[in-house]
Amino acid sequence: MRVAIRNGRHAAGGFDLDRDGFALREAPSAVRNFYDEAEVEDVYYRELEALLKRETGARRVLIFDHTIRIDDGARSRELGKREPVRRAHVDYTEKSGPERVRQLAGAEADDLLSGRFAEVNVWRPITGPVNRAPLAVAEAGSLAPDDLIPTDLVYDDRVGEIYETAHNPAHRWVWFPDMSVDEVLFLKSYDSATDGRSRFTPHTAFDDPATPAGAPARESIEVRAFLFFGD
């Protein structure tokens, strides 16, 4: 199915995480090798914790995992990495957002869940610019409640839940072409607030028919974090 995806770099006023569910920011990193797990956890996690606090006003940031994706089956298998997901989805649901906090926070969970909290992914190319299998996101204001379909996600040690996203011609899809290694895309996969701000952001890799022949395979890192606001 062909879907219209507009160039977010041309949007007047840009995009806002709480209004639209995503936002693009320039954020150079000191990380030299994103394939070095220790460097990512020691350097990059600290960078993102500070960045997310500045961007959102969160009092506490709990970064809990990251995933590297390579749009090259042979190379991804060789390095033990995943490939991009070409299916519109949201990483958490009304049910699984709080459940994941309880799994991660243990005895602190009740206190953390007593105020507003959100889950935000931070997506960055680790080679660039990205031309192949870029990431598209849907504006929160274009979603209808029935567009989000709860779906089990089965792991070896637990069963999670995500939202698959049903096609709706009213969706407004956006991508940011030629993202560089110095840019990050924030996207919100859960927000406990029900005051009209964005809560769930569908996203997917896609195949752009204008991708140049021989474009390098996308390599990217996504970091997941829970944000706690204490209100």
Side-chain angles (χ1 to χ4, degrees), residues 2 8 38-39 41 51-52 57 66-67 77 80 87 107 118 139 143 145 157 162 170 181-182 185 196 215-216:
R2 286 183 174 265
E39 186 177 12
E41 293 180 7
L51 182 62
L52 284 164
H66 68 273
T67 300
R77 287 189 295 273
R87 186 181 69 253
E139 292 183 47
L143 299 176
D157 59 343
I162 64 171
V181 297
D182 289 332
L185 183 64

Side-chain angles (χ1 to χ4, degrees), residues 85-103:
V85 176
R86 289 172 168 84
R87 186 181 69 253
H89 66 285
V90 181
D91 288 2
Y92 290 94
T93 68
E94 193 78 66
K95 172 187 173 184
S96 64
E99 282 184 348
R100 191 67 176 127
V101 173
R102 291 192 181 280
Q103 291 165 356

Side-chain angles (χ1 to χ4, degrees), residues 16 97 104 107 137 143 200 215:
D16 178 81
L104 294 166
V137 288
L143 299 176
F200 306 105

Side-chain angles (χ1 to χ4, degrees), residues 11-27:
F15 295 93
D16 178 81
L17 189 61
D18 278 342
R19 182 189 66 221
D20 305 299
F22 58 91
L24 181 72
R25 295 290 183 266
E26 187 168 335

Side-chain angles (χ1 to χ4, degrees), residues 22 135-139 172-176 185 187 201-204:
F22 58 91
L135 190 70
V137 288
E139 292 183 47
R172 297 189 298 272
W173 286 94
V174 174
W175 105 110
F176 298 92
L185 183 64
L187 64 96
T201 306
H203 54 283
T204 182

Side-chain angles (χ1 to χ4, degrees), residues 50-76:
L51 182 62
L52 284 164
K53 285 181 176 179
R54 288 198 305 271
E55 179 71 21
T56 68
R59 294 186 183 181
R60 179 173 173 182
V61 173
L62 174 61
I63 295 175
F64 58 95
D65 73 14
H66 68 273
T67 300
I68 289 177
R69 299 189 189 276
I70 306 173
D71 189 37
D72 180 322
R75 179 165 161 75
S76 65

